[in-house]
Amino acid sequence: MNETKQPPSTPGRKGAGFRTAGKIAGFTVLWLILFGVLAGLVGAGAVTGYIASLVNDDPIRSRSLIEEKINENAITGFVYFNDGTPIGQLRSEEDRRPVTYDQIPKTIIDAVVAIEDKNFFTHPGVDTNGLFRAVKQQLLNESVQTGGSTITQQLARRVFLSLDQTSSRKAKEIFLSLRLERFLSKEEIITAYLNKVPYGNGSSGYQVFGIKAASKGIFGIEKLEKLNIAQAAYLAGVPQLPSLYSAFNGKGDFNEKNFKRAVERQKLVLSRMLIEKKITNAEYEEALAFDLYSSLAKPSEKAYNTFPYLMLEVERQAAELLVLKQNPELKLEDLKKKENSALIEDARGQLLRSGYKITTTIDKKVYNLMHGVAENPENFAPDHPVKGVEQIAAVMMDQKTGAILGMIEGRDFHIEQMNFATQMTRQPGSAMKPIGAYLPAIDKGLIQPASVLDDAPIILKNGGGGYHIPKNSNNRYSGLVTARQALNNSYNIPALKIFLNKVTIKDSWAFARSLGITTLVKEDDAAQTGVIGGLKYGVSVEELTNAYSAIANKGVFNDAYLIESIRDANNEFVYKHEANPKRIVSEQSAYLMTDMLRTVVTNGTATSIMSQFKNYGKIPVVGKTGTTQNYGDVWFEGYTPDITLGVWAGYEKVIHTLSADSHGRARSIWAKIMNEVTEAKPELFPTKAFEKPDGIVSMTVSSVSGKLPTEITKSAGKLVTDIFNRKFIPTEEDDALVKVKYISYNGVNYLPHPETPEDLLRESVMVVRETPLDTLIEELQAKLGKVSAQSRKSLAYYLPKDAAQSAPSKIDPRVDDGGAPRPPAHISVETMNGLARISFTPSTQADVAGYRLYRSVNGGAFEKVEASVPTGEDPKFVNYISSNQTYRYYVAAVDVVGNESAPSESISTDGGQIITDPNIPDGGDPGFPDNPNNSNNPTTPTGLKAEGTDIGVTLSWNENPGSEGVTQYQVWYSSTERGKYKLLGTTESASFEYIAPMSTGWYRITAINSSGESSPTRSVEV
């Protein structure tokens, strides 16, 4: 069955002429009936007009044009660097090896005709039987859908018409098919068809077009006559839906699901061949039994010779430009819609076969230097057996024009074909803060570099009714900071407050879109943490770099572009890039943002740039880092007055995180690229400074409000000097400092009760926050229970660094319980260098407001000494003593309405010797009182470790479970393991550093909650 097919002879069997005449007559009658019915319904004139309207814009093609198009060969196109040197030739998507009719085996002809158009050799271009059959199958929703188009119609559509499904196109197709049959022989039509139809991907990943390319790409068979019946039937079935029947994907990997579909399709082809008597039963059974899988070509790598990443990106973008040129009603974002995918594929086909010449913006030297950095394994972590290759992506562009000068699309095309620079989207982390928060706020006058923001907790509502409390990467809240300080240190909370409360999500995203960010979707409109990276999809390296380039270009946005021009085979311009600069922010706003990004490099998270970039100090650079959770992605977006360069580093799969050594990878690669490019192409960096525009002034303002300083501001030393846009300089005086009496409780300042004794109060100049800290703590107490257990922290964790300076707005929440408090326990004294340090265990009673120290000298009366210690402060007093005197001390607790407890146990010193209270019993656990059997007391802490240092000792242990409500830990010391233990101090964390020159001895820990104290840990020696 592999002999070369000869053209069929003219039918000469008896009665054939009558049958042919009968078919023609039947076809004629059918059309007459159709026209008659239509004429009876709406009038012959209307029908004629309708048909004419469907085809009136379709030209009548001459025989010479038809023959030319049918035999037209693809013209090789080329891509060029920005200096006109060639990058390489465009891939021919129709990767085919044209064949003539006499080279096509009869088996293939039989298979194709049987499945596609059984009456091909007898119909005049349109098969009425096939049309009716297709209509019936559609109406009855039959499982086998053969379609109504003949091979001639399919060829006409592929060569001359679009692939859209419309009545107009169908009518044009029918009339054009009839015309093709007038001028071309059946042999020419079937040959052209088999040279042009698509067959999906071959084993190398290329899309193969034409039967010979399909034979080679799918089965590895060069000569068509070597295909057997099973393989010929397989190939004949693929063109119906190549994307579903392609046994290989775009990488050349085997696609089992598609292959199984194709095999089912092959069985249908074989059954049609059997019905049409093109094969015998024996041949049918043999073909069914043939092992198609084993005969498939072995997958192989794509054989691109030069710049594979770049060539593919040029093809993609050029095809989109052709679609937009041919369909001016469409916009770039429309091309992402599924319904327009056919237009893009059609344009790509035109691009690759029509001899286009594409000039890019890419600088050959810059591109090669960037890839030299990317391809050097010494610049990256070793390949990981699970994570794979540490990837990198970068885009360098000229911000004055938007021209992309160079890219790193990935480290190795043969490992990963995805373009990480343009096609991948990842969470931007803090690199989004200037785009989504700081810059729009600066331009609206909402903030300036010296504006004060509160790096204190913000409570966000989750969709499920719970709450989320974002934190900074350093696990601390720094309190009141300037906008410059917040950006320098990449604090999350100030950026979130700008994003949510000042600019708003809606306006932030509108602003980001104006800077070319197209990957934001509807879900991002509710992304409360979007400005620190909590987006649905994220951003691309190209688009984020594009956005930063507008800041670098003094607030003027030039959309990034890769293609300078496209010329056709006749050297006529089909497309030429036209500049469309848009001012997004004022020159003053861009300068302020640039200056803030300057100090990110000099004083913030990007200080490594100063040492890694060899021309630092000669070429001005600014930039912003970005990091996602657990270092899955790291970014650095930096620019000079002339060039913007954005870099991303991470792994192909989002779930993989970078090792500790790679946390600074984006910055190090940025510096390496800049080192290479500034040395090789110094002409790209002519500007030696960022030009300061008119309207920028320097001012000194309050560092706690950002307003004009008053005398109290100056006397308190709360001043900061920075630059401003003259249009938005502050005009109001500082109102954030007040002198107030307060009492502290658990680290928070409150207004005292009227009855609270004066000695427990403090008076100071304090800061009035936008949200008072006592109000925030009250809100935290109400909502912490609805924060997920794994994220929930103790209240102390949420206190900002400057909590002690926060002015109160609420009355002390503690309420008198109606009785005098119990006296403090575990009094101890230590003398050294004329000082006595008295320590005690604070009371667990809720209404205790502080403690007083009473002293007796040489047996005299006890008198109050030293300042009282409010609850929440370190439970100790320091008292000056003389070596020739004897002192005795006790401590009393005082509640919020002034009730004082009975004296605690007293303790004395004699000549500097430590004397512990004789009432502490000996035996058992020395130094510790009996602990009542209270089931609510905390459990004994575990894992105590001690390490001596040059200046003292460091202790650490495991935190008690959160359910125990431990408020603090007490640290106890004894010079001997079985000696008396004294209280050294307390801490809220599971660690303690004791600084003392003589710290050798034994240490123990107890835990405290509202119910009492745990048993002590085992003793550890230092």
Side-chain angles (χ1 to χ4, degrees):
M1 296 298 291
N2 287 333
E3 70 271 16
T4 301
K5 183 189 179 304
Q6 299 301 320
S9 59
T10 303
R13 294 188 301 275
K14 187 176 181 180
F18 290 105
R19 284 194 295 274
T20 302
K23 286 186 177 181
I24 294 172
F27 183 79
T28 303
V29 170
L30 176 65
W31 278 99
L32 288 173
I33 293 172
L34 176 61
F35 276 103
V37 172
L38 292 173
L41 293 175
V42 296
V47 174
T48 303
Y50 175 67
I51 294 174
S53 70
L54 293 178
V55 299
N56 68 344
D57 62 341
D58 195 46
I60 299 175
R61 297 170 178 84
S62 66
R63 177 171 186 159
S64 60
L65 177 62
I66 288 174
E67 291 176 342
E68 177 189 346
K69 290 293 184 181
I70 290 296
N71 297 311
E72 186 178 66
N73 290 319
I75 303 173
T76 301
F78 288 89
V79 182
Y80 301 91
F81 288 110
N82 62 2
D83 62 356
T85 57
I87 298 175
Q89 72 177 48
L90 285 165
R91 294 179 307 137
S92 175
E93 186 165 341
E94 295 182 355
D95 181 18
R96 63 188 179 192
R97 302 141 198 263
V99 293
T100 58
Y101 183 76
D102 59 1
Q103 293 174 322
I104 305 173
K106 184 176 182 297
T107 306
I108 293 173
I109 299 289
D110 288 343
V112 171
V113 170
I115 192 63
E116 291 290 341
D117 186 4
K118 71 175 183 176
N119 297 320
F120 172 71
F121 286 105
T122 58
H123 65 61
V126 179
D127 185 0
T128 55
N129 291 334
L131 283 172
F132 281 130
R133 183 175 62 252
V135 171
K136 178 179 75 73
Q137 290 169 349
Q138 288 286 346
L139 290 174
L140 299 179
N141 194 27
E142 294 182 6
S143 59
V144 176
Q145 300 281 329
T146 58
S149 294
T150 64
I151 288 174
T152 311
Q153 288 175 265
Q154 293 180 52
L155 180 64
R157 179 168 67 241
R158 181 159 293 278
V159 176
F160 294 103
L161 303 174
S162 67
L163 301 180
D164 57 321
Q165 299 289 335
T166 64
S167 299
S168 174
R169 195 270 293 161
K170 196 68 177 178
K172 293 173 185 178
E173 178 186 300
I174 291 172
F175 281 97
L176 184 54
S177 299
L178 295 172
R179 193 165 181 80
L180 287 181
E181 292 276 351
R182 284 183 58 195
F183 300 135
L184 301 175
S185 67
K186 292 291 187 181
E187 302 98 289
E188 290 174 315
I189 292 171
I190 192 72
T191 302
Y193 173 82
L194 286 172
N195 275 331
K196 293 181 181 295
V197 291
Y199 287 85
N201 299 109
S203 62
S204 65
Y206 287 115
Q207 289 186 342
V208 290
F209 284 74
I211 188 66
K212 188 169 184 179
S215 174
K216 172 64 177 174
I218 296 173
F219 291 114
I221 296 175
E222 290 275 4
K223 297 181 179 181
L224 295 180
E225 61 266 24
K226 292 188 177 181
L227 290 170
N228 61 31
I229 294 173
Q231 293 167 325
Y234 181 94
L235 294 178
V238 172
Q240 184 196 41
L241 288 170
S243 61
L244 293 182
Y245 296 140
S246 179
F248 301 96
N249 64 18
K251 296 181 181 180
D253 298 328
F254 177 65
N255 187 320
E256 183 178 4
K257 187 175 181 180
N258 279 9
F259 175 68
K260 288 181 177 179
R261 290 197 193 105
V263 171
E264 290 302 312
R265 174 77 173 161
Q266 179 238 21
K267 292 176 181 177
L268 177 60
V269 175
L270 290 172
S271 68
R272 295 297 305 164
M273 292 177 75
L274 182 62
I275 291 170
E276 296 298 323
K277 299 186 175 6
K278 301 299 182 182
I279 56 176
T280 65
N281 280 319
E283 289 171 326
Y284 173 75
E285 294 297 335
E286 182 182 356
L288 285 177
F290 180 73
D291 187 355
L292 279 168
Y293 175 77
S294 297
S295 73
L296 290 174
K298 303 305 179 192
S300 60
E301 290 184 349
K302 295 183 177 181
Y304 299 145
N305 294 322
T306 57
F307 307 107
Y309 279 124
L310 184 56
M311 291 296 291
L312 284 175
E313 185 63 21
V314 169
E315 289 176 18
R316 183 184 71 84
Q317 293 198 27
E320 291 178 347
L321 290 173
L322 287 181
V323 171
L324 295 176
K325 196 75 174 177
Q326 296 164 2
N327 301 270
E329 74 280 4
L330 295 179
K331 296 180 180 179
L332 185 60
E333 52 266 29
D334 294 328
L335 301 187
K336 296 180 180 180
K337 298 176 181 177
K338 188 175 181 180
E339 59 264 30
N340 292 321
S341 60
L343 291 176
I344 295 175
E345 286 307 306
D346 187 52
R348 189 190 289 265
Q350 296 175 38
L351 179 75
L352 300 180
R353 65 173 175 261
S354 301
Y356 286 105
K357 301 176 183 68
I358 305 171
T359 301
T360 71
T361 60
I362 296 295
D363 183 296
K364 182 176 182 179
K365 183 171 284 188
V366 170
Y367 187 86
N368 285 335
L369 288 171
M370 292 177 72
H371 274 265
V373 172
E375 292 164 13
N376 184 352
E378 294 182 1
N379 294 334
F380 302 92
D383 295 352
H384 192 278
V386 176
K387 299 177 183 179
V389 175
E390 186 179 281
Q391 284 291 356
I392 198 77
V395 172
M396 178 179 283
M397 58 184 292
D398 178 353
Q399 61 250 21
K400 295 181 177 66
T401 64
I404 296 175
L405 302 177
M407 285 191 293
I408 298 175
E409 307 92 331
R411 287 181 58 194
D412 188 341
F413 181 81
H414 298 289
I415 294 175
E416 176 52 58
Q417 288 76 48
M418 173 185 278
N419 188 324
F420 288 100
T422 63
Q423 299 300 294
M424 173 198 71
T425 55
R426 289 294 176 91
Q427 296 299 333
S430 294
M432 198 66 180
K433 291 173 182 174
I435 306 303
Y438 287 95
L439 184 56
I442 288 172
D443 199 55
K444 287 173 176 281
L446 300 173
I447 66 167
Q448 297 284 282
S451 295
V452 175
L453 304 167
D454 198 352
D455 183 27
I458 182 172
I459 305 171
L460 304 179
K461 191 171 180 60
N462 291 335
Y467 293 93
H468 167 57
I469 306 176
K471 62 180 183 177
N472 295 314
S473 61
N474 62 5
N475 281 311
R476 294 191 298 273
Y477 298 93
S478 294
L480 297 175
V481 294
T482 65
R484 185 185 293 275
Q485 291 170 327
L487 187 64
N488 283 351
N489 296 289
S490 203
Y491 294 147
N492 291 332
I493 312 307
L496 285 172
K497 290 180 177 179
I498 296 172
F499 175 65
L500 296 172
N501 304 330
K502 294 183 180 293
V503 181
T504 74
I505 298 179
K506 179 182 177 182
D507 288 352
S508 288
W509 289 160
F511 183 82
R513 290 184 177 100
S514 74
L515 290 174
I517 303 293
T518 66
T519 52
L520 298 172
V521 295
K522 184 177 180 180
E523 290 88 338
D524 292 323
D525 294 339
Q528 297 179 95
T529 58
V531 78
I532 60 174
L535 301 172
K536 174 73 172 179
Y537 298 114
V539 298
S540 71
V541 180
E542 177 192 7
E543 290 193 352
L544 190 57
T545 305
N546 198 15
Y548 272 83
S549 73
I551 315 174
N553 195 37
K554 303 178 181 180
V556 176
F557 176 66
N558 289 298
D559 202 5
Y561 71 102
L562 176 66
I563 296 176
E564 196 69 62
S565 67
I566 303 174
R567 290 169 292 154
D568 63 18
N570 297 319
N571 224 31
E572 297 292 330
F573 282 106
V574 175
Y575 165 82
K576 194 169 185 179
H577 175 75
E578 295 180 1
N580 183 27
K582 297 177 182 178
R583 177 160 292 285
I584 305 300
V585 298
S586 70
E587 194 171 346
Q588 291 77 18
S589 297
Y591 182 81
L592 292 176
M593 189 75 258
T594 293
D595 197 66
M596 290 174 70
L597 293 172
R598 173 184 62 83
T599 54
V600 170
V601 174
T602 59
N603 301 90
T605 56
T607 54
S608 62
I609 294 295
M610 292 190 292
S611 59
Q612 292 173 338
F613 177 38
K614 294 177 181 178
N615 283 305
Y616 182 80
K618 300 176 183 177
I619 297 175
V621 295
V622 306
K624 181 68 187 79
T625 55
T627 305
T628 58
Q629 193 170 18
N630 300 322
Y631 290 90
D633 309 271
V634 293
W635 299 73
F636 186 68
E637 292 286 347
Y639 56 86
T640 76
D642 304 293
I643 296 298
T644 303
L645 172 62
V647 178
W648 163 90
Y651 284 95
E652 177 190 356
K653 294 184 178 179
V654 182
I655 58 172
H656 297 316
T657 58
L658 293 164
S659 63
D661 292 340
S662 298
H663 289 178
R665 184 70 67 217
R667 279 173 282 141
S668 67
I669 295 299
W670 190 94
K672 289 179 186 295
I673 292 171
M674 288 292 288
N675 289 339
E676 296 288 341
V677 176
T678 53
E679 181 178 349
K681 301 277 291 188
E683 65 272 19
L684 293 177
F685 304 89
T687 311
K688 301 306 178 186
F690 289 103
E691 182 181 356
K692 182 191 290 187
D694 293 337
I696 298 297
V697 297
S698 179
M699 286 187 66
T700 298
V701 296
S702 166
S703 62
V704 292
S705 70
K707 297 180 181 180
L708 297 176
T710 62
E711 288 304 317
I712 192 172
T713 312
K714 295 173 184 176
S715 62
K718 303 294 186 180
L719 302 171
V720 63
T721 301
D722 214 319
I723 57 175
F724 289 77
N725 182 345
R726 185 187 296 276
K727 182 179 176 181
F728 299 118
I729 59 174
T731 57
E732 297 178 350
E733 288 192 342
D734 182 19
D735 56 0
L737 293 175
V738 295
K739 192 171 186 179
V740 62
K741 283 186 177 181
Y742 65 95
I743 188 167
S744 297
Y745 174 49
N746 289 336
V748 181
N749 299 329
Y750 292 96
L751 297 170
H753 290 278
E755 303 87 355
T756 302
E758 283 286 329
D759 65 304
L760 297 181
L761 306 184
R762 302 284 186 265
E763 186 174 26
S764 179
V765 173
M766 311 200 80
V767 180
V768 178
R769 309 176 96 98
E770 185 175 346
T771 299
L773 195 57
D774 46 21
T775 300
L776 174 63
I777 291 298
E778 188 176 86
E779 185 181 4
L780 282 167
Q781 288 172 324
K783 295 178 179 178
L784 266 180
K786 294 184 179 180
V787 173
S788 64
Q790 61 267 32
S791 300
R792 192 185 311 142
K793 307 287 185 181
S794 68
L795 276 174
Y797 173 87
Y798 300 105
L799 291 179
K801 182 181 177 181
D802 60 355
Q805 303 171 28
S806 184
S809 68
K810 292 181 176 293
I811 297 292
D812 185 349
R814 291 169 290 187
V815 178
D816 178 27
D817 62 6
R822 294 189 295 272
H826 307 154
I827 313 299
S828 65
V829 62
E830 179 182 20
T831 62
M832 182 181 293
N833 299 326
L835 294 174
R837 185 174 72 172
I838 300 92
S839 302
F840 59 95
T841 297
S843 172
T844 58
Q845 290 177 274
D847 67 337
V848 171
Y851 303 89
R852 293 168 178 160
L853 177 68
Y854 291 86
R855 183 183 71 175
S856 167
V857 181
N858 296 326
F862 280 95
E863 297 180 350
K864 182 182 181 303
V865 293
E866 306 302 341
S868 301
V869 175
T871 298
E873 291 187 8
D874 200 5
K876 67 181 179 183
F877 295 92
V878 176
N879 182 235
Y880 287 94
I881 59 176
S882 299
S883 58
N884 58 352
Q885 304 286 335
T886 299
Y887 301 88
R888 195 167 187 86
Y889 300 94
Y890 75 81
V891 179
V894 185
D895 67 18
V896 292
V897 295
N899 295 320
E900 184 175 289
S901 72
S904 69
E905 58 189 358
S906 63
I907 190 167
S908 66
T909 64
D910 185 9
Q913 296 298 312
I914 299 174
I915 303 175
T916 56
D917 195 292
N919 294 323
I920 297 178
D922 291 326
D925 196 2
F928 293 92
D930 292 335
N931 191 20
N933 185 19
N934 188 338
S935 61
N936 293 323
N937 289 351
T939 57
T940 302
T942 61
L944 176 61
K945 297 177 182 178
E947 181 181 359
T949 65
D950 293 338
I951 58 173
V953 63
T954 298
L955 304 173
S956 63
W957 57 94
N958 299 325
E959 282 191 2
N960 283 49
S963 59
E964 294 186 1
V966 170
T967 56
Q968 64 180 15
Y969 297 93
Q970 295 182 333
V971 181
W972 300 85
Y973 166 81
S974 174
S975 58
T976 63
E977 182 178 12
R978 303 296 296 174
K980 300 293 184 182
Y981 283 79
K982 63 175 182 175
L983 181 66
L984 284 183
T986 63
T987 176
E988 294 178 355
S989 63
S991 62
F992 184 82
E993 185 176 16
Y994 179 52
I995 299 176
M998 299 294 290
S999 55
T1000 57
W1002 295 80
Y1003 296 85
R1004 289 183 173 183
I1005 307 295
T1006 60
I1008 305 291
N1009 67 9
S1010 58
S1011 298
E1013 182 178 1
S1014 73
S1015 299
T1017 64
R1018 62 178 179 82
S1019 300
V1020 294
E1021 184 181 15
V1022 175

